[in-house]
Amino acid sequence: MLIALATWGHKDPMSKATIEKPFLTDVTELRKRARQHVERGAVTSNYSGDVDQAIEILQAVLATEIVCVLRYTAHAIAATGIDSESVKAEFLEHASEEQEHMSRVAERINQLGGKPNFSPEGLATRSASEYGKAEDLIEMIKENLIAERIACEHYRDLVRYFGDDDPTTRVMLESILSKEEEHANDMHDLLVAHEGEPFLKK
């Protein structure tokens, strides 16, 4: 018994021939496989990625997001100056969004059968971005901009890495990447507003 057609046909635009691609699995086989290795939760037999590697990568992503939450929060508290209130509000908004990213990544690690690593021990070395040590407003903005640029490049690489092997993780990272790009743009705009010219030039 099949759920639907066993293959999906589409036209090759170059040859105009119909290409048959595997599409749906026999429902009896699906049920059989679902009953095997139930301890793996959402990771079924047709997961084509490396689960252990995926968890290890996501632990580093989790650390990156934790560090970003801490940095933005610290900056929001410590920022001073005549124009600091609006910048502090921006830092707090970003901290909240980074915390949401942190939770999503931790949940995905859990879905893959891992245990999210929230330990402060070794956090700085697991993270792609740095905590920073800025003391004045401009340096804080620059630190956050650089950290967001690191995250953008890192997550783009990971989106390509996961590809079709783990579409759920890929889509999650694409969504986070979109927000990190927005954060980078926000920090760049703040820097231009306070310095009068773009910090990053071609």
Side-chain angles (χ1 to χ4, degrees):
M1 172 183 169
L2 297 181
I3 299 174
L5 296 176
T7 58
W8 173 64
H10 72 279
K11 294 287 186 180
D12 182 342
M14 300 300 292
S15 66
K16 297 184 179 179
T18 298
I19 300 173
E20 298 294 333
K21 297 179 69 175
F23 186 45
L24 297 176
T25 308
D26 181 274
V27 73
T28 304
E29 180 63 21
L30 275 177
R31 291 171 179 171
K32 176 184 175 183
R33 294 204 308 240
R35 286 176 169 81
Q36 297 171 343
H37 308 295
V38 292
E39 74 281 358
R40 296 179 185 173
V43 181
T44 60
S45 61
N46 68 347
Y47 178 90
S48 55
D50 182 325
V51 177
D52 292 337
Q53 183 68 21
I55 291 171
E56 183 178 347
I57 289 170
L58 290 177
Q59 296 285 18
V61 173
L62 177 61
T64 300
E65 295 298 333
I66 293 171
V67 167
C68 286
V69 172
L70 295 174
R71 186 184 58 255
Y72 273 123
T73 303
H75 287 174
I77 293 169
T80 58
I82 192 168
D83 298 320
S84 65
E85 288 307 310
S86 61
V87 179
K88 286 167 72 120
E90 191 78 32
F91 288 163
L92 279 175
E93 180 181 345
H94 286 201
S96 176
E97 290 169 344
E98 301 290 3
Q99 187 167 4
E100 181 186 345
H101 299 167
M102 177 192 75
S103 297
R104 291 175 64 188
V105 173
E107 181 59 36
R108 184 57 183 157
I109 292 171
N110 183 66
Q111 289 170 355
L112 291 171
K115 181 179 179 181
N117 186 357
F118 286 97
S119 172
E121 185 175 350
L123 180 62
T125 56
R126 296 196 306 273
S127 170
S129 61
E130 298 172 298
Y131 177 73
K133 50 189 176 184
E135 295 185 0
D136 67 75
L137 193 63
I138 298 299
E139 288 305 312
M140 290 177 185
I141 296 171
K142 287 181 180 179
E143 276 189 352
N144 287 312
L145 174 54
I146 290 168
E148 295 293 0
R149 284 169 56 81
I150 290 170
C152 287
E153 187 158 351
H154 185 42
Y155 294 171
R156 286 190 199 108
D157 285 343
L158 294 182
V159 165
R160 287 189 284 267
Y161 170 81
F162 283 105
D164 292 332
D165 289 338
D166 186 340
T168 303
T169 300
R170 186 198 73 234
V171 169
M172 178 192 70
L173 288 171
E174 286 173 340
S175 174
I176 294 174
L177 170 61
S178 175
K179 185 58 70 173
E180 303 295 11
E181 289 175 342
E182 182 182 313
H183 288 177
N185 192 61
D186 290 343
M187 290 299 102
H188 184 256
D189 287 348
L190 282 176
L191 201 56
V192 172
H194 285 78
E195 289 202 325
E197 63 179 18
F199 170 58
L200 300 167
K201 299 178 180 179
K202 292 183 179 179

